[in-house]
Amino acid sequence: MNKISLPPLSITYTTAIRDTELSNQDWWEQVYGKYKQIEAFPYQHWLLFADDSFDFSCCFFALLLAGKTPVLPPNLQVETLKHFAQKLDAVCADRNVGQHEPDVYTDYKSLSETKDYKDIYRDVGSEQEVFLYTSGSTGEPKRVVKKWRQLQAEVETLESCFGEDVDKTTICGSVSHQHIYGLLFTVLWPLLSQRVWQVRPIKYIEDYRFAVKESISFVSSPSFLEHLSRQIAPLENRPKYCFSSGGALKDETVKLLAQQWQLAPTEVFGSSETGGVAYRNQLIQQHWSVFQCIKWRISANNALQIRSPYLVDLERWYEMDDAVEESGDGFKLLGRLDRIVKIAEKRVCLDQMSRLLEKHQWVRECDLLTLSSSRDCIAAVVVLNNCGLKQLKASRHAVNKTLRMYLADYFETVTLPRKWRYIDSLMVNSQGKRQLAKMRSLFT
């Protein structure tokens, strides 16, 4: 296991790969340069975003070492960035926000003057804060405040639990470092454990095919891995290790990847608020094993409750929105508590209904939501497979009726979906999170 700390100055090694190799000395030079720029401003809260994760990491730590607060937006859409730029003191970014240049650009040109990195070579204050925002399924971002000690504790857990698995690999990912999962796995963990990472994200399947040729550890999401598993051409660059987070992997995705890679991804369960809570590999077990540093219990209403070093209050039991039951040395997920709804006074688990609907021979994947009008009802958003699409062309009404009759074997008639929409792919963001507002718009 490697020691978790900022890159040492006493040695030189490769820390990241762009078009060429970047060393820890390159990193400190850029951190120093950005620190000097940022230090000249009196501002406290800085909007921070950049596509290049090396540039991002240098500015992230320059802000922390200068005692500033990095604020990571929920997405990089123009209007979102404008909104946050207007609310915050300053902007550190790789592009303009609307017509306005950032106060500090994240990219970097080598300094000509004498540099003494020892001026800033110190630990980040344990109570230093980072503001993150969840994408939110309703479209309304929710702020999550993380102290540096919480982030550092999680990196230490990742290294102790998975360090040997990713040893001598280059870490690369398809997820954004603007969110907690990507920030931890593709930036903080490799940087603080002296591992090598690929600074440019893998956004498309083609990017994966041309990823670094040496041994890689791949950090991804269920939606990207599902698309990857369906590729007709055999996948080259089999990773030495693979992580997935943001939702449970489908059985079919695990099966297809295992056939091509001879391994299955390690799934990490958690949230922006809690950090990682548990993990599993479906080729080994179906239940979730809790990280050793986390205490857990199940409440009277089956909610998962945890005490964790990743939380601000180390002693308080934090209740998650997930229903669980004990299984093996951990738990089995039953579904989100906010996905258990009442329709005509009948309790319905939307996750259970979704899973059953996806087992129908015409359905590739689906999502369910509730609509409120004169009376609440369930609405279904469905992605059909080729067989289902043929049936849809023949008669949409017949497909609706067939799927309702199928579900009627499991649920009372009054609770069955009353509205149906058929689309090409589910509405999720780059982190694999549901876009509830967009789904609702299908029914207006």
Side-chain angles (χ1 to χ4, degrees):
M1 185 178 104
N2 293 351
K3 179 183 177 182
I4 300 303
S5 65
L6 290 178
L9 284 172
S10 57
I11 59 174
T12 300
Y13 60 90
T14 299
T15 189
I17 297 174
R18 192 182 279 140
D19 297 322
T20 58
E21 295 182 353
L22 298 162
S23 74
N24 57 314
Q25 303 294 338
D26 295 325
W27 187 83
W28 273 112
E29 179 177 340
Q30 188 162 336
V31 171
Y32 182 85
K34 294 302 166 184
Y35 176 91
K36 288 299 183 182
Q37 287 183 273
I38 291 166
E39 190 183 36
F41 293 93
Y43 309 130
Q44 180 61 39
H45 295 92
W46 288 69
L47 179 65
L48 172 62
F49 63 91
D51 288 336
D52 185 295
S53 63
F54 187 85
D55 290 346
F56 171 90
S57 71
C58 292
C59 294
F60 181 85
F61 279 97
L63 286 165
L64 290 177
L65 291 170
K68 310 296 186 181
T69 304
V71 180
L72 279 54
N75 60 60
L76 302 184
Q77 302 305 116
V78 174
E79 291 304 318
T80 300
L81 298 179
K82 285 182 181 179
H83 172 74
F84 276 85
Q86 291 170 357
K87 291 174 59 178
L88 298 172
D89 303 328
V91 177
C92 180
D94 61 355
R95 72 201 80 161
N96 291 356
V97 179
Q99 301 299 317
H100 302 284
E101 292 187 353
D103 298 273
V104 173
Y105 278 101
T106 55
D107 60 356
Y108 177 71
K109 294 180 180 179
S110 181
L111 293 168
S112 57
E113 67 266 21
T114 303
K115 305 172 288 293
D116 188 357
Y117 306 147
K118 292 180 181 178
D119 287 350
I120 63 170
Y121 187 66
R122 56 180 177 269
D123 291 333
V124 175
S126 63
E127 299 301 305
Q128 278 286 123
E129 292 182 337
V130 177
F131 292 179
L132 301 106
Y133 284 81
T134 63
S135 298
S137 59
T138 63
E140 186 63 34
K142 176 184 176 183
R143 189 175 77 178
V144 177
V145 179
K146 291 285 184 180
K147 295 184 183 296
W148 175 245
R149 59 175 168 81
Q150 296 172 259
L151 297 173
Q152 188 174 28
E154 186 151 13
V155 171
E156 288 171 350
T157 296
L158 294 178
E159 179 62 18
S160 64
C161 194
F162 304 118
E164 291 185 5
D165 297 313
V166 304
D167 202 26
K168 298 180 181 178
T169 68
T170 296
I171 294 177
C172 58
S174 65
V175 295
S176 171
H177 51 257
Q178 299 286 152
H179 297 272
I180 186 68
Y181 172 46
L183 176 66
L184 286 165
F185 278 73
T186 68
V187 176
L188 298 185
W189 182 20
L191 178 68
L192 299 181
S193 63
Q194 291 82 62
R195 302 186 185 282
V196 182
W197 90 92
Q198 173 66 257
V199 303
R200 288 179 179 147
I202 295 174
K203 294 183 178 180
Y204 308 103
I205 301 299
E206 294 75 17
D207 296 336
Y208 178 85
R209 293 191 181 281
F210 292 102
V212 287
K213 298 301 180 183
E214 62 266 25
S215 181
I216 63 172
S217 291
F218 187 42
V219 181
S220 194
S221 64
S223 56
F224 191 93
L225 291 174
E226 182 178 349
H227 290 308
L228 199 62
S229 70
R230 291 183 186 153
Q231 297 304 297
I232 298 175
L235 293 171
E236 299 175 359
N237 278 13
R238 184 181 81 186
K240 179 182 177 184
Y241 209 79
C242 180
F243 295 97
S244 177
S245 190
L249 283 171
K250 296 180 180 178
D251 294 344
E252 181 187 16
T253 301
V254 174
K255 179 181 178 181
L256 290 173
L257 289 177
Q259 289 173 351
Q260 297 188 59
W261 287 348
Q262 286 74 60
L263 63 85
T266 292
E267 299 172 75
V268 179
F269 165 75
S271 68
S272 298
E273 293 84 355
T274 64
V277 172
Y279 62 96
R280 71 173 179 179
N281 182 313
Q282 290 193 48
L283 290 185
I284 301 173
Q285 63 188 43
Q286 290 297 306
H287 69 269
W288 296 86
S289 296
V290 180
F291 287 108
Q292 287 188 352
C293 62
I294 293 176
K295 296 179 180 179
W296 65 286
R297 68 185 185 187
I298 301 175
S299 72
N301 66 334
N302 296 115
L304 177 62
Q305 296 181 334
I306 65 167
R307 284 165 63 178
S308 166
Y310 316 152
L311 297 172
V312 174
D313 189 338
L314 303 181
E315 300 302 320
R316 185 176 70 88
W317 286 97
Y318 179 93
E319 183 166 297
M320 300 182 67
D321 294 325
D322 302 276
V324 300
E325 66 179 13
E326 286 194 45
S327 179
D329 64 349
F331 59 81
K332 177 182 178 182
L333 284 172
L334 301 178
R336 288 182 59 84
L337 292 170
D338 59 5
R339 298 277 287 163
I340 298 174
V341 300
K342 272 196 171 184
I343 302 294
E345 307 307 317
K346 310 290 183 182
R347 287 171 62 88
V348 181
C349 178
L350 297 182
D351 287 338
Q352 179 191 16
M353 187 178 282
S354 293
R355 287 194 296 269
L356 287 167
L357 190 54
E358 287 177 346
K359 291 182 179 180
H360 191 276
Q361 60 182 342
W362 295 348
V363 178
R364 178 189 293 173
E365 55 187 347
C366 70
D367 203 344
L368 302 175
L369 63 154
T370 56
L371 300 177
S372 297
S373 54
S374 57
R375 61 173 178 166
D376 291 347
C377 71
I378 294 174
V381 179
V382 181
V383 179
L384 297 171
N385 56 28
N386 290 336
C387 184
L389 289 172
K390 290 180 181 179
Q391 299 296 328
L392 187 67
K393 287 182 179 179
S395 172
R396 178 181 294 267
H397 175 74
V399 172
N400 292 354
K401 183 177 179 181
T402 299
L403 295 180
R404 274 179 59 89
M405 290 177 61
Y406 167 76
L407 289 175
D409 289 339
Y410 303 93
F411 301 93
E412 294 185 54
T413 303
V414 70
T415 67
L416 299 180
R418 294 176 55 210
K419 297 187 178 183
W420 300 79
R421 296 292 185 270
Y422 301 97
I423 59 178
D424 294 332
S425 60
L426 290 185
M427 294 177 170
V428 296
N429 63 14
S430 60
Q431 306 303 305
K433 301 295 185 181
R434 305 167 67 237
Q435 299 293 278
L436 186 56
K438 288 184 177 181
M439 284 194 288
R440 288 193 188 282
S441 69
L442 295 173
F443 298 91
T444 57

